[in-house]
Structure formats: C-alpha cells, structure tokens
Amino acid sequence: MHKPTTKDLAKAAGVSLATVDRVLNARAGVRPATAERVRQAIKEINFVRDFSAANLARKKDYQLVFLLPDHDDEFIDQIQKQIAGTSRVLTHERTKVSILRTSANDPHRVAKEIDNLSASQIDGVAIMAPETPQVRDAILRLHARGIAVVAFVSRQPNAKRTYYVGINNEAAGRTVGQLMARFTGQRHGTVLVLTETMQSRDSQERRHGFDAITAKYADRLTVGPSMETYGDPQRAEKIVKMALQSQPPMVGIYLMSHDILDIMHVIDDLGMAQRIVVIGHELTPFTRARLVDGSMDAVITQDVGHLVRSAIRMLRSKITGMDPLDSQERIRVEIIMRENMPEDA
Amino acid sequence: MHKPTTKDLAKAAGVSLATVDRVLNARAGVRPATAERVRQAIKEINFVRDFSAANLARKKDYQLVFLLPDHDDEFIDQIQKQIAGTSRVLTHERTKVSILRTSANDPHRVAKEIDNLSASQIDGVAIMAPETPQVRDAILRLHARGIAVVAFVSRQPNAKRTYYVGINNEAAGRTVGQLMARFTGQRHGTVLVLTETMQSRDSQERRHGFDAITAKYADRLTVGPSMETYGDPQRAEKIVKMALQSQPPMVGIYLMSHDILDIMHVIDDLGMAQRIVVIGHELTPFTRARLVDGSMDAVITQDVGHLVRSAIRMLRSKITGMDPLDSQERIRVEIIMRENMPEDA
DNA sequence: CTGAAAGCGCTAACAA
DNA sequence: TTGTTAGCGCTTTCAG
C-alpha cells in the first residue's frame, strides 16, 4: 500500500479535504466531534503529513532574522559568513534569512529592535544579545505574537520557552581547565585568567567550570581571579606584565573572551607564548594561525556553521510544527589543536 | 517580482513546459538549438529549480542502502542506530534507507553483494568495506549503471570519483600523537600501540600520523611497533604483559582499532589504566564509561550521526544533481574527554 | 460548520 | 522534436 495522503485521511474520517486541512493546521471552525473523528483516523491509517507539499501549496516564504551585536570581531564575522553561505541552500527550503545588527550593550535599543521586528512580516528570530530584563521581556512579547525565537550563542535562561542554540559554557570552561592541567604537565605555577568582562553570564559560567576542574590540581596550580581588560590593550598589557612577576611563575593563560586579538599581541610582544600554555575560545583565522605557529596550544570552539544551521532548523521547526531531530541539534564543545584543525575557513 | 518558475522559463524561452522539463532533466529528444535557448533563458531570468516540487511530482522514493560489515561491534551498532534514527526525518524527504550486512573480510562476497544491488531498484549506496580490487571494480560498475556511491568510513582511494564520507585517519593519528605527548607530561617512557590488525589502510594511516608527531618527542617517548591482537584476548594479554616489562616503563597506550573491549579488559585486569595514559578511538557506551571512570584519558572520534546524515545528503545530491553545502559535509576529528563529552547516547 | 474546486512548481503520459 | 494535459499532496478561496 502507498503512504496515506490527506485524501485517504478524508475518506477514512468521512469528511472533506478542507476539513482535514483545518484540523491538521489547528484552525477554527470545526466541530469538536468532527475534529476528534479526524484525529482518530490519523492514528488508524497512520497518516504522516507531507510538509514539502504543504509548503508548496502555501506558497509562502519563511522570513527569519538573526539579530547580532554591532560590535565587530572575528567570531561575529564568521557567523555572518555562515549565514550568507547557507542562504543558497535555503532557497530550496522556502526560507529567507537576513541579518540585523544592534548595539549589544544597550538593552533598551536591543529591546526596541526586537519590538520593531514583531511588527514586521517576520516568522522567526535568532537573538544574540546579553540577557537583560528588557531583552527578556521583548522576547516574551515575540512569543506572545506567535513569532518563533531562539537564543543564539547567548543564553536567555529567564525568557521561558526560549530554546538555546549554543555551547554549554560551563562544560567549555571545564574542558579548558582539564586541558590546562594536563598541558602544564607536572609543573607548578600560576594560571592567569583574562577576559574582556566578567559581566556576561557566559563568562561566569566558563569560569565556574574552569575552577571546578583546576581546584583538583590546587597542589600545583594557582589560579588567580579573572582579570578584565575592558577591551583596552594598555590595560591588558599591564595585567599580563604584572602576572609575569608572580611567584610561582606563570605556566598558563586562559583567554576567556572570543575577542582576543589585542591580548594575544601583548602576549606576543612579551615573547612568552611559546613557554606558556595558552588556551582560548573560538576557531577563527587569527586563532588558527596561533595554533599553527604554536603560540596557542588549544582552542575550545563551537562549529559556527552548525550553530547557524541549527538555529535555522529550530526556528523552522517551531514555525511549521515539525519536530527536529534532537541528536542533530546538540552543539558540541570542540577541542581544536594544530593536529585536528579542520581544513577550510 | 516573484521567483521565476518553469512556466516563466517556458515563456521566456518560447517553448512549452514539457520541453523545459526535458532540458532541465537532461532528457533526450530536444533539438540542440532549442535546448540552448532554454539554457540561455535560465541565465536571463535567473531561474532556480524547486526540487521539492519536482520530487512531489515525480512521486518517487529514493532508495538508499548502507552496506556494512557483518562483524558486530559498538561502532557498527551506533551507525545502525543513527540510520534508524534518521529515517523519521527522511520520510519527509522521500528517502528510504535500508541496511545490508556482509562479510567484511571476503572481498568476493562484498563485490557480489554490490553487484546484486546494482541489479535491484536502488538509487544510492554507502559502502563500508576495506579497499580491495574486487570491491573497487564493483564500485566502478555501480557508477557505470548510474547508481550513486559513497565510500563510508573506509576510503576507496582507487575507485575513481568515489566520494569519501569519514574522518581523515592520518589527522586522527596525529591528534592522538600530540595528546599522548602532552598528557604524558615530561615523563620518559615507552608507548604501546595496539590494534586488531595493521592490514587495513585506516590503521596504516593512523599509525603514520601518530609517528609523525611522536617522532618529535623521541627524546623521552619510545614508541614500539604496532602490536596486532587479531581480536584474540589471550594474545592481547600476552602483548600487554610483555610491554609492561619494558624499560623505560610504559607511560601510554594507543588503542588504534575501534573494537577495544577485550583489550581494555586486559588492561583493567592488570590494574594499570589509572597510571598510564590511554587513548583510543570512537565514542561508544563503553569508551564513554572509561572516560568517566578515568581508565581512558581521551577518545578521538567522528560524530556518527553526522557521518550518516552526510552520507545520505551526498547520495541524494548525486542522485538529484543538486549540489551540497561543502562546509556541512566536512567530518571533524573530534577530541573527547570526560569534560566535553556530549550528553546523549 | 463543511465541501468543491482551483492551483502551488514540476513531471510524465499521450498526442501531434 | 514538441506541446497538451492530468496529476503529486496539500492549501485556500468561495459557496453552501
């Protein structure tokens, strides 16, 4: 027998195609009894919807937008590139995605931007923005308007029902901790933790995971407090120089932010990268080069292409009601060294 | 303006829908001049095909098969599970995949099986089998019959035009080498390399990569020849016990095959796993447990779900002529430790 | 509240 | 060699 279609379903339930369609799409105007009859028939004949046929008939393009911080760094850059690279494939899936940049540090502006979105013809939004009450509320407003939302790269734990597409930052921190411990061999010394800011929840989670592991090595590793650079190279330099004086001597540096160009240049200038274990986040052209020349030892990263595709799939599945393949959506905490660096950009 | 359809294309080229369809699908019976006219029009109006509509109209299911070795181990098991898990999603894509098991060590049987396939109603095959002349020829016969083929997990470098879905084994070996060097700290000692067999090209590639890195640490690491267990626990035990006598003492073990249950039990019984760095391949329930209890230090793996999906996508794209998104198909050499172990099975 | 019928973009007989 | 036409499985007016 062939796979049952809406026609079969209509026959089985003793109704017309239109009615079948109505209950399939949970539209109003069907007597509860009738609806129930259809639902029964679905079980009986084991009906499964053909979504591509539905999309074809609907003749509708799904409009998605990525809301990204307007601050420019390599990581954001990669995200943009991946979004662009995906769009060709998306044409075949009746999906259009655009990018919107907004000031990451002004919660009100972000919230405003989100509200604008909910007014326009948008079906889904991936939001990358620090968690704030304003943003959280704006997200809830999106939900209320029936617009699909996912939290992208930055978790939004207080915006209920908001799926998170991104790495588990605590696991990432733990992983760095373990690598730091192992890569420093049996050496005794201090470890410097450097970040742009500890304001963000991501940083806090990473630090938490990092400490959980390094605590086990307290007999030989002394981990200082997280030093914040506020994106200021001068400040970064002072911090690193200071740390160099420490007793016992410095054996490792954990670069916690993904924006680490300035900091790495400072470390370079002091000529210590080769002697010290340096571990950071995100695989970018810059960190890639550092892994190759040995000035960084490992990078913890999330596959940006996967991140983008996963966000899109999740949005689409929320919009169409078709549920996703969970195992495909899990974002892995990847360890990259020179030896297992993927070849492409 | 709306996205151009075949109708627009027909109008633009001054031909009928049927003719458009013929050139789109490279079918015979079109005068070259006419075909050219259509091709011109495609450029001009920037036409892109709607594949899901095409599939709908074709009313055809794509039949794919995975040809797997009939030897049972955890890795094969995971592959089967992932194939099963993917099938739900595949229903929406008009794709049916089945699994065929065959004796991996008998090239003639494998080739026979492949030939049978080419007789039946199959559109694409993913083949996991050691490279042999027989298999290579059988694969070429598939190509000749217009059946899509990919080499799955095992490369087929001599079967021309056969795309490989799997990890770069040399890079995997290099990665293990680097981890071994770093995880052993500054210690001096010997490293045991254990494998089921060195017959397979995969093993040779891994070994090659491994040596390339450990050679740099020759001053403190002595790496012995690859010891083959032939799947015999007794033999494994003898080898390991022998290695334990070595001077300088053993500091690490590289388990090169993915079938390592027996070997690990031997290592356990000798009570040395905790003192020695043990690195192996593939994340399975078994290796997962070893990472947790600390008897293994790291595992190099390829995401099996990704592997399966990628093979399917490549086959489908070969069949439909729709080209894939390269960046999505790159299979990564993943490093898994206890800290970054993905949660699910 | 329910149904009949036209059509989404493409394919595949069947005619011409 | 080319065109006409009836669908594929589903949605969506528009009547009833």
Side-chain angles (χ1 to χ4, degrees), chain B residues 6 13 21 26 37 54 75 84 105 130 134 152 154 157 189 211 223 256 293 309 317 319 327:
Chain B
T6 34
D21 185 67
R37 204 137 42 87
F75 183 56
N105 298 321
Q134 292 82 4
F152 187 65
S154 273
D211 288 347
V223 184
M256 214 160 56
D293 74 17
R309 288 188 295 270
S317 82
I319 295 166
S327 70

Side-chain angles (χ1 to χ4, degrees), chain A residues 196-311:
Chain A
E196 222 182 301
T197 169
M198 280 305 283
Q199 299 287 29
S200 76
R201 175 180 291 269
D202 304 349
S203 300
Q204 288 161 20
E205 290 171 347
R206 285 178 182 178
R207 174 77 211 218
H208 190 251
F210 185 73
D211 288 346
I213 300 299
T214 50
K216 299 184 198 164
Y217 298 87
D219 55 323
R220 64 176 183 82
L221 293 182
T222 310
V223 184
S226 307
M227 303 302 287
E228 300 176 276
T229 63
Y230 303 125
D232 175 0
Q234 320 270 306
R235 200 179 144 81
E237 183 170 356
K238 218 180 316 181
I239 292 172
V240 176
K241 277 192 173 148
M242 186 93 82
L244 269 180
Q245 317 291 341
S246 69
Q247 271 315 325
M250 180 154 58
V251 292
I253 301 183
Y254 175 18
L255 299 170
M256 214 159 57
S257 320
H258 57 245
D259 192 6
I260 60 173
L261 274 78
D262 290 337
I263 302 179
M264 272 310 295
H265 285 309
V266 170
I267 295 173
D268 280 350
D269 292 347
L270 297 173
M272 33 184 259
Q274 303 290 343
R275 292 176 288 123
I276 287 178
V277 175
V278 179
I279 302 179
H281 284 281
E282 307 314 339
L283 187 64
T284 67
F286 182 79
T287 54
R288 192 176 273 274
R290 313 321 291 244
L291 288 173
V292 170
D293 74 16
S295 56
M296 289 186 74
D297 298 87
V299 155
I300 303 309
T301 194
Q302 42 199 333
D303 183 324
V304 175
H306 189 206
L307 223 49
V308 167
R309 288 186 294 270
S310 186

Side-chain angles (χ1 to χ4, degrees), chain A residues 39-98:
Chain A
R39 260 176 252 117
Q40 277 305 325
I42 292 181
K43 312 267 146 183
E44 273 161 29
I45 69 172
N46 209 322
F47 170 83
V48 285
R49 248 172 120 163
D50 183 330
F51 284 96
S52 36
N55 282 333
L56 175 57
R58 261 194 264 266
K59 205 174 58 165
K60 182 195 193 258
D61 273 8
Y62 297 101
Q63 296 281 357
L64 308 183
V65 5
F66 278 77
L67 188 61
L68 305 178
D70 60 1
H71 167 222
D72 265 313
D73 64 34
E74 284 194 309
F75 184 56
I76 306 283
D77 205 59
Q78 288 203 303
I79 292 172
Q80 297 205 84
K81 288 221 178 68
Q82 286 294 342
I83 294 173
T86 311
S87 71
R88 179 178 59 81
V89 170
L90 288 179
T91 310
H92 301 312
E93 320 245 293
R94 303 198 148 60
T95 305
K96 279 216 151 32
V97 5
S98 48

